[in-house]
Amino acid sequence: QFCEALAAQGETSTAQAIVAAFLQSAPDNVTALFYQRFLAEPDPRNCPASRRREMQEQAARAVADPIRRSLELGQFYLQTQQPEEATSQLQSVLDATAGDTSVPAYVAGGPPHPRRAAAERLFDLARSREDWPLAGRIAETARREDLDGCGGRLFAANLASAKKEYSLALTHLNEALQQRPVFSYGYVLRSEVQAALGKDQEAVDDARKAARLNPLDTMAAKILAKALWTRNSKTGEHLSLEQRQETQRALERAVQLDPRDIGLLNAYVDFISPDEPQKAVALRQTIQANAPSADNAVKLGVLATRVAQVETDPAKQQAFAAIARTAFEQALDLIDQSIASAG
């Protein structure tokens, strides 16, 4: 982002000098290799997305170490949704490092060894594609080599969860957390499994532990907000003030950590709308400005109408009515556009 900012200001030569100096100490840094190419473009400020992707692949291919090169290429292909190419590159890392006795013991938070990183990425890809044989082979490798610091149980739990074998997943996670009790992601995953098994309070308890262990983790914050929201929806009118306040704090924290998650922001707006309708109107306007949709426009129109109906200040009443009118007009325009494009 620093290089992007300098390029946007026309300070390309300064950015190039910084990148060149960085590459002297880290010649295989793929981000620096990308910016070396990006800053050499005739006009970096107007570089199209397709050209950026070309340079990202070139940067990955420029990594000198063959194992790390394959790892970087695998990551690039994952990001650009090329699963076959990603599988080939990540599998080549596993093949090249098979029997490598230099793979260090698992250290939470430490830089991952290429073998461990490749196994995790290929495992996630296999699960997403429901390639159970491949996922099973990687899980067995993780068990045999203890790639997750808990005897492969985290891999086994993830595989069981992906196959909707939630009771088995819970057993693996209980065993994993006995070995690694200070493990935020383990509690995140167990919270999701508990929820799938209908154990709502247990899901909330695990989500709270995950958020306490890693208060800056976006995933933990979202899982806590989701678990509390689910509990609230089942509690209904018997929801206490304390429970409602905890849910609002969790939603606010999750939004702070990931303000670009429109779905999360929508959930927060829905939650505060009954008590803070004017704030909700402002947030719906923000959503509409950044991610316009007919659904949000209708919700904005309905909410602004409700605020206008109870507003006693004539000027504010007219302002909210105007917001509602504009929102409904935009909703109709978006619906018309959708129908036209479908036809």
Side-chain angles (χ1 to χ4, degrees):
Q1 290 183 344
F2 182 62
C3 288
E4 300 269 3
L6 286 174
Q9 296 170 12
E11 298 288 342
T12 302
S13 58
T14 301
Q16 287 175 320
I18 293 171
V19 170
F22 186 82
L23 283 171
Q24 288 183 349
S25 59
D28 274 356
N29 184 281
V30 72
T31 301
L33 288 168
F34 164 73
Y35 278 113
Q36 183 184 53
R37 289 159 173 76
F38 172 75
L39 294 168
E41 288 290 290
D43 185 4
R45 288 174 289 188
N46 294 301
C47 183
S50 59
R51 176 58 183 152
R52 291 176 75 101
R53 284 193 296 272
E54 288 178 12
M55 291 185 289
Q56 287 169 347
E57 184 172 8
Q58 291 169 2
R61 292 190 180 281
V63 172
D65 180 78
I67 292 176
R68 194 160 292 280
R69 183 194 312 135
S70 290
L71 186 64
E72 295 292 352
L73 280 168
Q75 182 63 22
F76 168 76
Y77 291 133
L78 284 175
Q79 292 172 342
T80 54
Q81 299 182 0
Q82 301 179 68
E84 298 298 338
E85 292 83 352
T87 297
S88 175
Q89 294 295 334
L90 294 172
Q91 185 62 58
S92 73
V93 175
L94 294 180
D95 293 342
T97 56
D100 186 351
T101 57
S102 69
V103 179
Y106 181 91
V107 177
H113 186 277
R115 181 167 181 78
R116 182 175 294 114
E120 290 175 351
R121 293 171 191 177
L122 186 55
F123 179 71
D124 288 343
L125 177 59
R127 284 191 306 130
S128 69
R129 303 180 76 192
E130 297 188 359
D131 186 343
W132 306 132
L134 176 57
R137 289 196 298 273
I138 299 172
E140 174 56 26
T141 298
R143 183 199 64 77
R144 188 173 60 249
E145 301 179 16
D146 191 19
L147 292 180
D148 56 8
C150 49
R153 290 178 178 84
L154 181 61
F155 279 80
N158 266 306
L159 179 56
S161 179
K163 296 168 75 173
K164 295 183 170 53
E165 298 171 351
Y166 298 117
S167 294
L168 179 58
L170 184 59
T171 298
H172 287 310
L173 285 166
N174 289 339
E175 294 172 352
L177 288 167
Q178 285 180 354
Q179 294 190 36
R180 291 179 58 189
V182 184
F183 183 26
S184 175
Y185 177 67
Y187 287 109
V188 164
L189 184 55
R190 195 168 74 173
S191 176
E192 292 184 305
V193 169
Q194 302 274 31
L197 290 169
K199 299 180 178 182
D200 297 327
Q201 188 54 52
E202 291 86 346
V204 168
D205 292 341
D206 279 338
R208 284 174 178 154
K209 290 176 185 176
R212 282 198 300 268
L213 287 171
N214 195 348
L216 297 180
D217 182 64
T218 302
M219 184 183 299
K222 290 182 179 181
I223 286 297
L224 178 56
K226 180 181 178 181
L228 292 171
W229 182 282
T230 300
R231 179 205 63 188
N232 291 0
S233 65
K234 294 184 179 181
T235 303
E237 62 183 17
H238 301 294
L239 190 69
S240 69
L241 177 61
E242 182 180 356
Q243 289 173 323
R244 182 171 180 80
Q245 290 174 338
E246 181 187 18
T247 304
Q248 181 163 342
R249 288 195 300 271
L251 283 166
E252 288 172 346
R253 182 62 176 162
V255 169
Q256 287 173 355
L257 290 172
D258 189 3
R260 296 183 180 181
D261 187 330
I262 298 299
L264 181 64
L265 187 56
N266 266 307
Y268 175 62
V269 175
D270 286 341
F271 188 82
I272 67 169
S273 291
D275 298 326
E276 302 179 76
Q278 293 192 18
K279 180 178 179 180
V281 167
L283 288 172
R284 287 240 169 263
Q285 287 179 299
T286 299
I287 293 172
Q288 195 63 17
N290 291 281
S293 70
D295 179 65
N296 184 71
V298 170
K299 289 181 177 179
L300 172 58
V302 170
L303 190 57
T305 299
R306 180 157 62 87
V307 174
Q309 288 174 334
V310 299
E311 181 59 61
T312 56
D313 184 317
K316 291 182 178 180
Q317 187 178 57
Q318 290 180 7
F320 282 108
I323 292 172
R325 183 164 50 252
T326 300
F328 287 130
E329 290 172 351
Q330 188 172 17
L332 289 172
D333 288 342
L334 289 168
I335 291 170
D336 288 342
Q337 291 172 23
S338 178
I339 293 172
S341 61

